[in-house]
Amino acid sequence: MSTDTQSVHGTQRFLQTAFWASFKEAHGWKAFFFKADPSGNLRVSGVPDSDEENGKGGPTQNEDCLTVLVRTFSLKIKKYSLAYIPMAPEMKEGEEHEAYLERLCGIANKIRPFLPADTMFVRYDCPIDFEDIEGRDTFVRKTGQIARQKKLPLRIAPVAVQPPDTTILDLKKSEDEILASMKSKWRYNIRLAAKKGVEVSCYHGDEADFPEKFDEFYRLFELTSERDGVNFHGKEYYQDLIGRSRMAHSEGCGETGTSPLVSLYLAKHEGDYLAGIITLFCPREAVYLYGASGNIKRNLMAASLLQWTAIRDAKAYACPEYDFYGMPPTDDEGHPMHGLYLFKTGFGGRLVHRPGSFDVPLRPFSYRLYIAAERARAFFFRKIVKRLKGR
């Protein structure tokens, strides 16, 4: 189990940044910001890195930032809200399992007065990395046992918000070392794509031709959705993500900064756009967020060259690691996304398995109704919709 903390990297995960909070606020969420001292005391704060935070009321050196996202929705005349804390808090070095769970419950109680009165629960995506599935599953099982024994108001959520399984590439290695750690077929595919004339270009939201290039990407995105049975956000969601990021940066992919840089990469061959990816670079990590591919010239291995180009850019940006961000948990040939597992693990990263989402109910009755609806929705999309589409 790895419990890398913010103090190790000196920065936050991208889901805890002010940039991500601002982006989510533009798409139906409301952000609350808190500071936590080493004793666990919490206080409400302004937006991280703002003038207010850099002045008199700013955080002290030993305080951790905590971003809480709240979503409110209506059922006829009554409103309901849920609070979501993505990829936080980190598990402290040497912290016992029980103490960590107690801290989750304590944080939920401390932030409750600042949340809407109708908030049903606080959901956490816990950023704890396990090298094997058995260790992760044991942690989740013990979480339920500890919660029952200690009568902690904590539940294991039926679905995970962020992908719990991924592979992460160490960018502190040299390019030659990274290539050497790949499977030989992946090195061959990268060279093949370049030799056959596949061209990869990087685009940002303030460039004159960005709308045209993004249309090409979204066309590939729709093909991917139809082919693989994956549901995506609307077009404006991704356009806004890239556009907002670029506002904080004046030049291209190679400049570092405190705000994440989100980029669009497209692979093209003789006038045909073959594949595209959207990546995020920040001082803590590089993340492969979204990908799309067409149905032609798949033998040119454009996706491999796309990833290698983004990996090299992330390394030049000084990101310490490249997170491929989501895949099946095992090499199960029967899994419908088995090909994705093979593709992402072929680049030689370390496998990571996270425990998923945990909930602290604030309004038990409303919470039970919500969870029942969430389970029903998950069953509908995972079982019924995929069967209707023949998958």
Side-chain angles (χ1 to χ4, degrees), residues 1-2 128-141 164-166 329-330 341 350-355:
M1 179 176 69
S2 172
I128 306 172
D129 296 354
F130 293 87
E131 296 179 356
D132 57 80
I133 294 176
E134 292 75 16
R136 184 263 304 278
D137 291 348
T138 297
F139 182 89
V140 173
R141 185 171 58 253
D165 304 286
T166 186
T330 64
Y341 179 95
R350 63 183 175 90
L351 299 181
V352 168
H353 307 281
R354 295 174 179 139

Side-chain angles (χ1 to χ4, degrees), residues 108-132:
N109 288 329
K110 289 172 184 175
I111 66 174
R112 183 174 188 173
F114 302 97
L115 304 178
D118 53 26
T119 303
M120 298 177 290
F121 61 95
V122 176
R123 174 163 293 179
Y124 297 89
D125 266 312
C126 297
I128 306 172
D129 296 354
F130 293 87
E131 296 179 356
D132 57 80

Side-chain angles (χ1 to χ4, degrees), residues 91-111:
M91 195 172 191
K92 299 175 182 178
E93 185 175 356
E95 186 173 21
E96 295 292 333
H97 190 162
E98 180 180 329
Y100 180 69
L101 301 183
E102 289 175 341
R103 186 153 61 93
L104 297 184
C105 295
I107 289 173
N109 288 329
K110 289 172 184 175
I111 66 174

Side-chain angles (χ1 to χ4, degrees), residues 36-205:
D37 65 25
S39 300
N41 299 314
L42 235 62
R43 64 183 179 89
V44 69
S45 72
V47 178
D49 300 324
S50 67
D51 291 339
E52 174 191 347
E53 283 300 296
N54 291 328
K56 205 168 187 179
T60 67
Q61 187 176 4
N62 293 324
E63 286 184 316
D64 289 328
C65 302
L66 188 68
T67 300
V68 182
L69 301 174
V70 174
R71 188 71 180 258
T72 300
F73 52 94
S74 291
L75 295 178
K76 293 185 178 180
I77 61 173
K78 186 169 179 57
K79 289 185 177 181
Y80 296 91
S81 299
L82 59 90
Y84 174 49
I85 303 179
M87 297 303 273
E90 305 273 4
M91 195 172 191
K92 299 175 182 178
E93 185 175 356
E95 186 173 21
E96 295 292 333
H97 190 162
E98 180 180 329
Y100 180 69
L101 301 183
E102 289 175 341
R103 186 153 61 93
L104 297 184
C105 295
I107 289 173
N109 288 329
K110 289 172 184 175
I111 66 174
R112 183 174 188 173
F114 302 97
L115 304 178
D118 53 26
T119 303
M120 298 177 290
F121 61 95
V122 176
R123 174 163 293 179
Y124 297 89
D125 266 312
C126 297
I128 306 172
D129 296 354
F130 293 87
E131 296 179 356
D132 57 80
I133 294 176
E134 292 75 16
R136 184 263 304 278
D137 291 348
T138 297
F139 182 89
V140 173
R141 185 171 58 253
K142 286 185 64 178
T143 292
Q145 294 172 350
I146 292 171
R148 289 189 295 272
Q149 292 170 358
K150 300 297 180 179
K151 294 184 168 48
L152 297 177
L154 186 139
R155 304 289 182 268
I156 299 168
V159 296
V161 181
Q162 303 302 322
D165 304 286
T166 186
T167 180
I168 297 177
L169 200 60
D170 182 2
L171 298 185
K172 296 185 292 295
K173 296 179 180 179
S174 69
E175 287 188 12
D176 287 342
E177 288 173 325
I178 294 173
L179 283 167
S181 68
M182 294 182 189
K183 294 180 180 177
S184 60
K185 181 66 173 177
W186 270 243
R187 293 193 298 273
Y188 173 81
N189 288 343
I190 291 169
R191 292 194 297 268
L192 173 69
K195 182 179 179 180
K196 294 295 185 179
V198 175
E199 299 176 353
V200 175
S201 300
C202 180
Y203 302 96
H204 301 99

